[in-house]
Amino acid sequence: MPHPPIKIVVSGPVGAGKTTFTRTMSTTEVVSTDEVATERIGKVSTTVALDFGSLAVGEQEIMLFGTPGQERFDYMWSVLCEGATGLLLLVAASRPGSFLKARHILEFITSQVAIPYVIGVTHLDAPRHWEIDEIADYFQVPPEHLVALDARSRGDGARALFRLLERCLPEGPTSGQLTALLQT
Amino acid sequence: MSLSDRLQSILNELRSALPDVRGALISSADGMLIAQNVSSGDSNRMAAMVATSLGLGKRMCESFGAGNLSETSVSGDAGQVFIYGAGSKGVLAVINPAGGNIGLLHLECRAAARRVAEVLG
Protein backbone atom coordinates (compact mmCIF):
# COMPACT_ATOMS: atom_id res chain seq x y z
CA MET A 1 0.00 0.00 0.00
CA PRO A 2 1.76 3.18 -1.12
CA HIS A 3 1.71 6.16 1.21
CA PRO A 4 -0.55 9.07 0.24
CA PRO A 5 1.47 11.95 -1.25
CA ILE A 6 2.86 14.56 1.12
CA LYS A 7 1.85 18.10 0.23
CA ILE A 8 4.41 20.81 0.99
CA VAL A 9 3.61 24.51 0.52
CA VAL A 10 6.51 26.80 -0.37
CA SER A 11 5.75 30.39 0.59
CA GLY A 12 7.50 33.63 1.50
CA PRO A 13 7.84 37.21 0.24
CA VAL A 14 8.72 38.28 -3.30
CA GLY A 15 12.24 37.35 -4.37
CA ALA A 16 12.89 34.76 -1.64
CA GLY A 17 13.38 31.95 -4.19
CA LYS A 18 10.07 30.04 -4.12
CA THR A 19 9.86 29.42 -7.87
CA THR A 20 13.59 28.64 -8.07
CA PHE A 21 13.30 26.14 -5.20
CA THR A 22 10.36 24.35 -6.81
CA ARG A 23 12.17 24.17 -10.16
CA THR A 24 15.35 22.91 -8.48
CA MET A 25 13.64 20.17 -6.51
CA SER A 26 10.94 18.93 -8.86
CA THR A 27 11.70 15.88 -10.94
CA THR A 28 8.53 16.38 -12.99
CA GLU A 29 7.78 19.26 -15.31
CA VAL A 30 6.96 22.32 -13.19
CA VAL A 31 3.74 24.21 -13.85
CA SER A 32 4.55 27.89 -13.31
CA THR A 33 2.32 30.94 -13.63
CA ASP A 34 4.77 33.80 -13.91
CA GLU A 35 3.79 37.07 -15.51
CA VAL A 36 5.77 40.22 -16.25
CA ALA A 37 6.05 42.28 -13.05
CA THR A 38 4.82 45.86 -13.31
CA GLU A 39 6.18 46.82 -9.88
CA ARG A 40 9.87 47.20 -9.11
CA ILE A 41 10.56 43.99 -7.26
CA GLY A 42 14.13 43.33 -8.39
CA LYS A 43 13.22 40.76 -11.05
CA VAL A 44 11.28 40.69 -14.31
CA SER A 45 8.52 38.20 -13.58
CA THR A 46 6.36 37.16 -10.67
CA THR A 47 4.07 34.23 -9.78
CA VAL A 48 0.35 35.06 -9.96
CA ALA A 49 -1.29 31.72 -9.15
CA LEU A 50 1.06 28.90 -8.16
CA ASP A 51 4.08 26.80 -9.02
CA PHE A 52 3.55 23.07 -8.94
CA GLY A 53 6.21 20.38 -8.95
CA SER A 54 6.75 16.95 -7.44
CA LEU A 55 9.47 14.50 -6.51
CA ALA A 56 9.59 10.94 -5.25
CA VAL A 57 11.58 9.95 -2.20
CA GLY A 58 11.74 6.20 -2.42
CA GLU A 59 8.06 5.16 -2.45
CA GLN A 60 6.94 8.48 -1.02
CA GLU A 61 5.69 11.16 -3.41
CA ILE A 62 6.17 14.78 -2.33
CA MET A 63 4.13 17.47 -4.03
CA LEU A 64 5.42 21.05 -3.94
CA PHE A 65 3.01 23.98 -4.18
CA GLY A 66 4.67 27.40 -4.46
CA THR A 67 2.56 30.46 -3.64
CA PRO A 68 2.72 34.02 -4.97
CA GLY A 69 4.62 36.36 -2.63
CA GLN A 70 2.60 39.58 -2.75
CA GLU A 71 -0.06 40.22 -0.14
CA ARG A 72 -2.66 40.96 -2.82
CA PHE A 73 -2.56 37.22 -3.63
CA ASP A 74 -3.19 36.18 0.00
CA TYR A 75 -6.26 34.11 -1.02
CA MET A 76 -3.83 31.77 -2.83
CA TRP A 77 -1.99 31.17 0.46
CA SER A 78 -5.26 29.83 1.94
CA VAL A 79 -6.21 27.88 -1.20
CA LEU A 80 -2.84 26.16 -1.48
CA CYS A 81 -2.51 25.37 2.24
CA GLU A 82 -5.67 23.26 2.31
CA GLY A 83 -4.66 19.74 3.20
CA ALA A 84 -0.97 20.60 3.34
CA THR A 85 1.40 18.58 5.51
CA GLY A 86 4.07 21.22 5.96
CA LEU A 87 5.11 24.76 5.12
CA LEU A 88 8.52 25.86 3.92
CA LEU A 89 8.70 29.62 4.42
CA LEU A 90 11.53 31.11 2.40
CA VAL A 91 13.12 34.38 3.50
CA ALA A 92 15.96 36.23 1.75
CA ALA A 93 18.62 37.07 4.35
CA SER A 94 19.71 39.95 2.13
CA ARG A 95 16.28 41.63 2.24
CA PRO A 96 15.52 42.57 5.87
CA GLY A 97 12.83 44.87 4.48
CA SER A 98 10.85 41.73 3.57
CA PHE A 99 11.01 40.10 7.04
CA LEU A 100 7.85 41.78 8.25
CA LYS A 101 6.04 40.51 5.14
CA ALA A 102 7.40 37.02 5.80
CA ARG A 103 6.13 37.16 9.37
CA HIS A 104 2.75 38.29 8.12
CA ILE A 105 2.58 35.34 5.69
CA LEU A 106 3.57 32.91 8.47
CA GLU A 107 0.95 34.31 10.86
CA PHE A 108 -1.71 34.43 8.13
CA ILE A 109 -1.19 30.77 7.22
CA THR A 110 -0.65 29.32 10.71
CA SER A 111 -3.68 31.17 12.08
CA GLN A 112 -5.85 29.40 9.49
CA VAL A 113 -4.31 25.94 9.57
CA ALA A 114 -2.16 24.34 12.24
CA ILE A 115 0.73 23.41 10.01
CA PRO A 116 4.33 22.59 10.93
CA TYR A 117 6.83 24.90 9.28
CA VAL A 118 10.50 25.46 8.70
CA ILE A 119 12.00 28.81 7.71
CA GLY A 120 14.43 28.43 4.83
CA VAL A 121 16.95 31.28 4.77
CA THR A 122 18.13 32.07 1.23
CA HIS A 123 20.53 34.61 -0.30
CA LEU A 124 23.16 34.08 2.43
CA ASP A 125 25.79 34.56 -0.29
CA ALA A 126 24.83 38.22 -0.73
CA PRO A 127 27.53 40.67 0.45
CA ARG A 128 25.17 42.21 3.01
CA HIS A 129 22.84 39.86 4.84
CA TRP A 130 21.47 38.99 8.25
CA GLU A 131 22.84 35.88 9.99
CA ILE A 132 20.59 32.89 10.74
CA ASP A 133 20.65 33.55 14.51
CA GLU A 134 19.60 37.16 14.00
CA ILE A 135 16.72 36.05 11.78
CA ALA A 136 15.66 33.44 14.37
CA ASP A 137 15.61 36.25 16.95
CA TYR A 138 13.55 38.42 14.62
CA PHE A 139 10.98 35.67 14.08
CA GLN A 140 11.20 34.66 17.75
CA VAL A 141 11.54 31.00 16.87
CA PRO A 142 14.18 28.49 17.99
CA PRO A 143 17.19 28.41 15.60
CA GLU A 144 16.47 24.72 14.81
CA HIS A 145 13.32 25.88 12.98
CA LEU A 146 15.57 27.67 10.48
CA VAL A 147 17.66 26.13 7.77
CA ALA A 148 20.15 27.81 5.44
CA LEU A 149 19.64 27.03 1.80
CA ASP A 150 20.59 28.07 -1.69
CA ALA A 151 17.38 27.64 -3.70
CA ARG A 152 19.49 26.60 -6.72
CA SER A 153 21.12 23.69 -4.86
CA ARG A 154 19.42 20.26 -4.82
CA GLY A 155 21.48 19.21 -1.81
CA ASP A 156 20.43 22.27 0.18
CA GLY A 157 16.81 21.83 -0.89
CA ALA A 158 16.86 18.16 0.11
CA ARG A 159 18.21 19.02 3.56
CA ALA A 160 15.53 21.70 4.01
CA LEU A 161 12.78 19.26 3.00
CA PHE A 162 14.23 16.63 5.34
CA ARG A 163 14.20 19.12 8.22
CA LEU A 164 10.59 19.95 7.44
CA LEU A 165 9.60 16.27 7.24
CA GLU A 166 11.18 15.75 10.66
CA ARG A 167 8.69 18.28 12.01
CA CYS A 168 5.70 16.98 9.98
CA LEU A 169 5.80 13.22 10.24
CA PRO A 170 5.10 11.68 13.65
CA GLU A 171 7.63 8.91 13.13
CA GLY A 172 10.01 11.26 11.29
CA PRO A 173 11.66 10.54 7.96
CA THR A 174 14.10 7.66 7.80
CA SER A 175 17.78 8.06 7.09
CA GLY A 176 17.08 6.05 3.93
CA GLN A 177 14.70 8.81 2.87
CA LEU A 178 17.38 11.45 3.38
CA THR A 179 19.75 9.41 1.24
CA ALA A 180 17.00 9.06 -1.38
CA LEU A 181 16.29 12.80 -1.22
CA LEU A 182 19.95 13.62 -1.75
CA GLN A 183 20.16 11.19 -4.65
CA THR A 184 17.10 12.46 -6.55
CA MET B 1 -5.92 61.91 -23.15
CA SER B 2 -3.78 60.06 -20.60
CA LEU B 3 -3.45 56.30 -20.64
CA SER B 4 -5.65 55.86 -17.60
CA ASP B 5 -8.29 58.23 -19.02
CA ARG B 6 -8.39 56.18 -22.21
CA LEU B 7 -8.79 52.93 -20.27
CA GLN B 8 -11.42 54.49 -18.03
CA SER B 9 -13.43 55.63 -21.06
CA ILE B 10 -13.30 52.09 -22.53
CA LEU B 11 -14.81 50.79 -19.27
CA ASN B 12 -17.42 53.55 -19.16
CA GLU B 13 -18.50 52.85 -22.74
CA LEU B 14 -18.67 49.14 -21.96
CA ARG B 15 -20.94 49.80 -18.97
CA SER B 16 -23.21 51.99 -21.13
CA ALA B 17 -23.42 49.29 -23.82
CA LEU B 18 -24.13 46.60 -21.22
CA PRO B 19 -26.42 48.14 -18.57
CA ASP B 20 -26.93 44.82 -16.71
CA VAL B 21 -23.21 44.46 -15.99
CA ARG B 22 -22.40 45.00 -12.30
CA GLY B 23 -18.82 46.07 -12.76
CA ALA B 24 -15.79 46.04 -15.03
CA LEU B 25 -12.10 46.38 -14.33
CA ILE B 26 -8.73 46.31 -16.04
CA SER B 27 -5.69 44.90 -14.30
CA SER B 28 -2.11 44.19 -15.31
CA ALA B 29 -1.21 40.55 -15.99
CA ASP B 30 0.50 40.51 -12.57
CA GLY B 31 -2.65 41.59 -10.77
CA MET B 32 -2.31 45.35 -10.24
CA LEU B 33 -5.52 47.32 -10.67
CA ILE B 34 -5.23 49.79 -13.58
CA ALA B 35 -8.81 51.05 -14.07
CA GLN B 36 -12.18 50.13 -12.65
CA ASN B 37 -15.87 50.81 -12.88
CA VAL B 38 -17.11 48.63 -10.05
CA SER B 39 -19.82 49.72 -7.66
CA SER B 40 -19.18 47.29 -4.82
CA GLY B 41 -16.49 45.03 -3.45
CA ASP B 42 -12.73 45.38 -3.16
CA SER B 43 -11.53 46.05 -6.70
CA ASN B 44 -7.83 45.70 -5.79
CA ARG B 45 -8.53 42.19 -4.60
CA MET B 46 -10.63 41.41 -7.67
CA ALA B 47 -7.79 42.64 -9.92
CA ALA B 48 -5.38 40.18 -8.29
CA MET B 49 -7.92 37.35 -8.53
CA VAL B 50 -8.66 37.83 -12.24
CA ALA B 51 -4.91 37.88 -12.95
CA THR B 52 -4.55 34.60 -11.00
CA SER B 53 -7.40 33.07 -12.97
CA LEU B 54 -6.05 34.22 -16.33
CA GLY B 55 -2.49 33.13 -15.43
CA LEU B 56 -3.68 29.66 -14.50
CA GLY B 57 -5.86 29.50 -17.64
CA LYS B 58 -2.84 30.30 -19.79
CA ARG B 59 -0.91 27.37 -18.34
CA MET B 60 -3.92 25.09 -18.80
CA CYS B 61 -4.14 26.06 -22.46
CA GLU B 62 -0.43 25.27 -22.86
CA SER B 63 -0.78 21.95 -21.05
CA PHE B 64 -3.79 20.86 -23.10
CA GLY B 65 -2.44 22.09 -26.42
CA ALA B 66 -5.19 24.72 -26.66
CA GLY B 67 -2.88 27.50 -27.88
CA ASN B 68 -2.94 31.00 -26.46
CA LEU B 69 -5.65 31.74 -23.92
CA SER B 70 -8.17 34.36 -25.03
CA GLU B 71 -10.71 34.26 -22.22
CA THR B 72 -11.99 32.38 -19.21
CA SER B 73 -15.01 32.64 -16.94
CA VAL B 74 -16.23 31.76 -13.48
CA SER B 75 -19.93 31.06 -12.87
CA GLY B 76 -21.95 30.99 -9.68
CA ASP B 77 -25.71 30.63 -9.23
CA ALA B 78 -26.11 34.40 -8.82
CA GLY B 79 -23.54 35.78 -11.19
CA GLN B 80 -20.62 35.30 -13.52
CA VAL B 81 -17.21 36.85 -14.04
CA PHE B 82 -15.86 36.92 -17.58
CA ILE B 83 -12.12 37.42 -17.90
CA TYR B 84 -10.48 38.41 -21.19
CA GLY B 85 -6.79 38.64 -22.01
CA ALA B 86 -5.94 42.12 -23.32
CA GLY B 87 -2.64 41.61 -25.12
CA SER B 88 0.20 40.14 -23.07
CA LYS B 89 0.09 42.85 -20.40
CA GLY B 90 -3.54 43.35 -19.46
CA VAL B 91 -6.70 41.65 -18.28
CA LEU B 92 -10.30 42.85 -18.67
CA ALA B 93 -12.88 41.46 -16.27
CA VAL B 94 -16.64 41.97 -16.31
CA ILE B 95 -19.04 40.98 -13.55
CA ASN B 96 -22.47 40.01 -14.83
CA PRO B 97 -25.63 38.87 -13.03
CA ALA B 98 -26.77 35.32 -13.90
CA GLY B 99 -28.60 35.04 -17.20
CA GLY B 100 -28.74 37.87 -19.71
CA ASN B 101 -27.49 38.00 -23.26
CA ILE B 102 -24.04 36.40 -23.11
CA GLY B 103 -23.56 36.65 -26.90
CA LEU B 104 -23.88 40.41 -26.79
CA LEU B 105 -21.66 40.57 -23.72
CA HIS B 106 -18.87 38.63 -25.45
CA LEU B 107 -19.20 40.79 -28.57
CA GLU B 108 -18.78 44.03 -26.62
CA CYS B 109 -16.13 42.71 -24.22
CA ARG B 110 -13.91 41.13 -26.88
CA ALA B 111 -13.91 44.42 -28.78
CA ALA B 112 -13.14 46.31 -25.56
CA ALA B 113 -10.32 43.88 -24.72
CA ARG B 114 -8.74 44.54 -28.13
CA ARG B 115 -8.90 48.28 -27.47
CA VAL B 116 -7.34 47.81 -24.02
CA ALA B 117 -4.53 45.78 -25.62
CA GLU B 118 -3.89 48.62 -28.11
CA VAL B 119 -3.78 51.23 -25.34
CA LEU B 120 -1.44 49.14 -23.17
CA GLY B 121 0.77 48.51 -26.23
Side-chain angles (χ1 to χ4, degrees):
Chain A
M1 175 78 184
H3 299 284
I6 291 174
K7 177 179 176 181
I8 302 292
V9 172
V10 183
S11 195
V14 171
K18 302 177 292 296
T19 300
T20 304
F21 176 85
T22 304
R23 288 180 179 164
T24 299
M25 296 311 295
S26 181
T27 51
T28 56
E29 194 186 342
V30 173
V31 176
S32 286
T33 57
D34 36 0
E35 294 290 342
V36 174
T38 54
E39 300 165 290
R40 285 195 183 183
I41 55 171
K43 54 180 188 159
V44 292
S45 66
T46 192
T47 301
V48 297
L50 79 164
D51 293 309
F52 173 74
S54 66
L55 66 154
V57 180
E59 301 258 296
Q60 178 66 62
E61 189 187 3
I62 298 179
M63 301 192 296
L64 301 173
F65 287 83
T67 72
Q70 293 91 341
E71 202 175 343
R72 64 177 180 278
F73 297 115
D74 61 6
Y75 48 86
M76 287 307 297
W77 307 342
S78 317
V79 168
L80 295 175
C81 283
E82 260 179 51
T85 309
L87 167 69
L88 178 64
L89 184 83
L90 297 184
V91 182
S94 57
R95 293 190 182 193
S98 73
F99 293 173
L100 189 61
K101 288 179 177 137
R103 210 157 80 175
H104 173 70
I105 295 172
L106 186 61
E107 280 165 10
F108 184 98
I109 291 175
T110 53
S111 69
Q112 294 191 343
V113 281
I115 183 174
Y117 66 88
V118 159
I119 299 175
V121 182
T122 59
H123 294 270
L124 282 161
D125 54 346
R128 290 167 61 90
H129 65 260
W130 283 37
E131 298 300 337
I132 295 251
D133 290 350
E134 297 170 324
I135 297 172
D137 274 350
Y138 179 91
F139 282 89
Q140 295 181 306
V141 297
E144 59 268 25
H145 288 188
L146 280 75
V147 55
L149 80 121
D150 183 328
R152 299 161 299 188
S153 155
R154 283 197 66 86
D156 282 10
R159 275 182 283 273
L161 281 178
F162 188 75
R163 185 75 75 81
L164 182 57
L165 294 178
E166 282 179 329
R167 298 208 60 202
C168 296
L169 305 177
E171 71 279 22
T174 62
S175 58
Q177 283 178 317
L178 177 62
T179 313
L181 257 174
L182 291 168
Q183 282 169 349
T184 51
Chain B
M1 220 173 12
S2 76
L3 188 125
S4 69
D5 287 343
R6 287 160 71 193
L7 294 172
Q8 197 63 52
S9 75
I10 294 172
L11 289 184
N12 296 345
E13 285 167 33
L14 193 61
R15 292 292 304 268
S16 319
L18 300 166
D20 289 343
V21 158
R22 291 209 297 248
L25 65 83
I26 296 165
S27 93
S28 62
D30 68 334
M32 300 289 282
L33 182 67
I34 302 176
Q36 56 115 345
N37 188 331
V38 182
S39 37
S40 65
D42 179 347
S43 46
N44 283 311
R45 196 170 173 77
M46 292 234 27
M49 285 182 166
V50 299
T52 295
S53 181
L54 198 80
L56 192 58
K58 279 184 190 174
R59 299 307 168 264
M60 285 177 75
C61 278
E62 285 169 13
S63 302
F64 300 132
N68 295 317
L69 176 95
S70 47
E71 58 204 44
T72 178
S73 66
V74 178
S75 302
D77 56 11
Q80 288 172 293
V81 183
F82 293 94
I83 301 165
Y84 304 83
S88 60
K89 294 178 189 166
V91 186
L92 168 70
V94 172
I95 306 147
N96 200 46
N101 186 338
I102 304 303
L104 178 66
L105 184 122
H106 277 320
L107 194 71
E108 294 287 346
C109 292
R110 286 168 188 158
R114 281 193 294 274
R115 288 173 64 201
V116 171
E118 282 164 21
V119 173
L120 293 176

